[in-house]
Amino acid sequence: MKIENNLELVHKNFYELGLLLSSDRKVITEIAEVLNVSHDKIQRDFNKSSQSIEKEKEELILQAQKTFKRKQVTIIVDDTAISKPYAHDIEGLDVVFDSNKKQCTVGMVAITVILTDGTTHLPVYANLHYSKKISKKNYVPKSLCILGLCKELMGKFNIKRVIADAHYTNAEVFKELKKLGINFLNKIPRNRIIEYRGKKEQVNQLCKLKKNQRTRRIRALFKGVICYIYAVKYDSDTINYYVSSEKIDRKKIAEIYKGRWVIEKFHRTAKQKLGLQQCQARSATKQLLHVLNVMKAYQNAELIRRKEGLKTVDSAIKYCRKLKSKILQLDWAELCRTFRRCVTYDTTANELENYSSTLETQAMVNVPSNSLPIASQDDQLDFTIPFCDQINDTIFDDDPSE
């Protein structure tokens, strides 16, 4: 039986699932081969989704709402270069700086956002950012892109603070965040002008460390915005400066800012494991859709990591690919029909294990897979548990630590 007859019940987005399970190039023909689904079907679904980008963004936020509920979360903002060195006809191509290769290349820039409660890190937003040369009159600085997003997320999450690097240090943004009641923590360039005790000088002059002093905090004005400036000296004798709306223990400021590293890990995994840079579509809209699907695949991997007690998202992706054949062979329609109640968090491991044994016994006596009863339309409508929740509650013989 073709997998689409079973898998479509649990995962409507084959493209997203293919990004997670495929270890080859992330193109539709390769994904179709991995899932044993017609590549035309994946192409049609992908083209259809490209007409509702906002719906795709809403699904990312909805999954985060289900996960975090009313927990305090931190918004982490950063951008990443999507290199397309051999592309010529993709919309929005520009010269970008690839921080991995430390050189300029052809590509595009994506602004991404992750929500984290300290243990779970879920990407919830992405958008392509274009230079003045391409955007012309519609150009918006990267730093100002944070405001609209924060306003959108305010009513949906319990936001603790926003963390971003020095590229997003903007007094206008800080002023608006204060009005919204959202705290911020950014790295600030050492040459920015601040006002402290009536003096207007660069940060590194007014927040200078004394001999043998490792940290310092001052309350200053940054372009009319009252904020706290922190200086932190590291073991390598490097001194970094931070700006925040909060009065934080100066010994903890570096550790809090270090939480921003999760978005760098996301960019690395998205590029190396989920094919962030491998989309070959020419349309800028479809390029953005690909980025959003990568984020949804990462969300699934992160939830699996948390449920299975794995250390990293990379190990969760490896775990899924190791179990790929078993995931795709499960007759989910029959599972749904028999366990109308059980395919939830209430499902016991023994129930599913016993049912798996029954399916294996049927296979041993050569019962054709297409002879198994298929769930009715009502059953399908009731089957709304996310893909990652279902495979997590199933017992497999493989040891993920191997």
Side-chain angles (χ1 to χ4, degrees):
M1 182 185 294
K2 269 207 166 187
I3 187 59
E4 54 192 276
N5 293 335
N6 297 328
L7 193 59
E8 192 167 6
L9 292 176
V10 297
H11 212 277
K12 297 294 184 182
N13 192 335
F14 288 106
Y15 188 78
E16 171 197 337
L17 181 60
L19 293 175
L20 182 61
L21 297 184
S22 172
S23 56
D24 299 322
R25 289 188 313 134
K26 304 303 189 291
V27 292
I28 288 178
T29 50
E30 298 286 350
I31 291 173
E33 185 176 345
V34 168
L35 299 182
N36 192 22
V37 179
S38 165
H39 74 275
D40 289 331
K41 177 173 180 55
I42 298 178
Q43 183 70 60
R44 286 195 300 270
D45 291 344
F46 186 78
N47 291 339
K48 185 178 179 180
S49 298
S50 66
Q51 300 171 7
S52 55
I53 290 292
E54 293 305 317
K55 183 180 178 182
E56 298 294 322
K57 293 180 178 179
E58 288 174 7
E59 289 179 4
L60 284 167
I61 293 176
L62 183 61
Q63 181 59 65
Q65 283 181 298
K66 290 178 180 178
T67 303
F68 295 124
K69 297 180 181 178
R70 295 307 300 169
K71 289 183 180 179
Q72 274 197 332
V73 294
T74 298
I75 299 176
I76 303 175
V77 185
D78 199 9
D79 55 86
T80 185
I82 302 176
S83 298
K84 305 283 184 181
Y86 307 109
H88 301 285
D89 300 325
I90 297 177
E91 294 177 357
L93 282 182
D94 201 356
V95 177
V96 298
F97 181 76
D98 190 333
S99 58
N100 292 327
K101 297 180 179 178
K102 305 296 181 184
Q103 63 182 23
C104 291
T105 183
V106 176
M108 46 186 55
V109 173
I111 296 177
T112 57
V113 175
I114 276 186
L115 292 184
T116 177
D117 62 356
T119 57
T120 305
H121 324 293
L122 298 181
V124 295
Y125 175 86
N127 208 359
L128 298 179
H129 184 265
Y130 302 105
S131 64
K132 287 183 180 179
K133 179 182 177 182
I134 296 176
S135 301
K136 297 180 180 179
K137 294 181 179 180
N138 297 322
Y139 175 74
V140 177
K142 283 190 289 188
S143 57
L144 295 180
C145 296
I146 299 178
L147 291 177
L149 175 68
C150 289
K151 290 177 181 178
E152 182 180 348
L153 297 180
M154 267 194 67
K156 300 176 181 178
F157 298 96
N158 183 10
I159 301 173
K160 187 175 183 179
R161 66 171 64 90
V162 179
I163 300 179
D165 64 14
H167 292 96
Y168 295 87
T169 300
N170 184 302
E172 184 179 342
V173 173
F174 293 165
K175 189 180 296 183
E176 291 299 320
L177 288 177
K178 277 198 164 188
K179 288 180 181 178
L180 295 173
I182 300 176
N183 292 316
F184 56 84
L185 172 61
N186 287 50
K187 185 180 284 188
I188 184 171
R190 64 183 62 237
N191 60 353
R192 292 293 179 90
I193 303 298
I194 60 173
E195 184 177 346
Y196 176 60
R197 293 181 177 177
K199 294 182 180 180
K200 288 186 177 181
E201 292 188 37
Q202 294 181 352
V203 171
N204 61 342
Q205 295 298 320
L206 293 179
C207 196
K208 188 180 294 185
L209 294 174
K210 298 178 182 178
K211 187 177 181 180
N212 298 326
Q213 191 176 16
R214 307 293 298 184
T215 60
R216 187 183 178 190
R217 179 186 63 221
I218 63 172
R219 189 168 181 265
L221 282 175
F222 175 56
K223 296 185 178 179
V225 180
I226 300 174
C227 51
Y228 293 93
I229 306 295
Y230 298 84
V232 179
K233 187 175 183 179
Y234 292 87
D235 293 336
S236 61
D237 289 338
T238 301
I239 300 176
N240 286 340
Y241 298 91
Y242 304 96
V243 56
S244 176
S245 57
E246 303 173 88
K247 187 176 181 179
I248 306 171
D249 186 343
R250 61 180 187 269
K251 295 180 180 179
K252 296 181 180 178
I253 195 72
E255 190 65 27
I256 295 173
Y257 185 79
K258 189 179 177 181
R260 197 190 71 85
W261 188 245
V262 297
I263 200 167
E264 301 292 353
K265 290 181 178 179
F266 161 66
H267 292 156
R268 181 195 63 194
T269 300
K271 291 177 181 180
Q272 294 180 357
K273 303 292 184 182
L274 300 176
L276 181 64
Q277 302 182 122
Q278 295 179 17
C279 180
Q280 298 179 356
R282 296 183 179 183
S283 164
T285 302
K286 291 181 180 179
Q287 287 286 339
L288 176 57
L289 178 62
H290 173 75
V291 175
L292 295 175
N293 275 283
V294 167
M295 298 181 90
K296 289 165 76 174
Y298 189 93
Q299 275 192 349
N300 275 327
E302 171 66 10
L303 294 175
I304 291 169
R305 179 202 66 78
R306 187 179 70 165
K307 191 78 179 289
E308 295 295 334
L310 302 174
K311 289 184 178 180
T312 65
V313 174
D314 286 27
S315 60
I317 294 172
K318 184 179 179 181
Y319 177 56
C320 289
R321 290 172 182 173
K322 185 177 180 181
L323 302 178
K324 176 175 60 180
S325 58
K326 293 189 177 183
I327 294 171
L328 299 184
Q329 288 169 7
L330 285 176
D331 193 318
W332 289 107
E334 172 64 5
L335 192 64
C336 175
R337 183 180 182 279
T338 307
F339 288 92
R340 286 289 298 268
R341 176 192 64 79
C342 292
V343 188
T344 66
Y345 285 113
D346 297 329
T347 310
T348 66
N350 289 334
E351 286 176 314
L352 287 176
E353 185 175 27
N354 292 337
Y355 183 67
S356 297
S357 300
T358 304
L359 287 181
E360 291 176 3
T361 302
Q362 290 176 335
M364 290 175 65
V365 296
N366 297 322
V367 176
S369 60
N370 57 8
S371 68
L372 294 173
I374 302 299
S376 66
Q377 183 65 25
D378 292 336
D379 293 336
Q380 298 181 21
L381 291 174
D382 287 341
F383 202 102
T384 57
I385 307 302
F387 162 69
C388 58
D389 295 337
Q390 298 158 24
I391 68 168
N392 286 339
D393 288 327
T394 308
I395 293 290
F396 297 103
D397 295 331
D398 301 63
D399 183 3
S401 63
E402 293 181 352

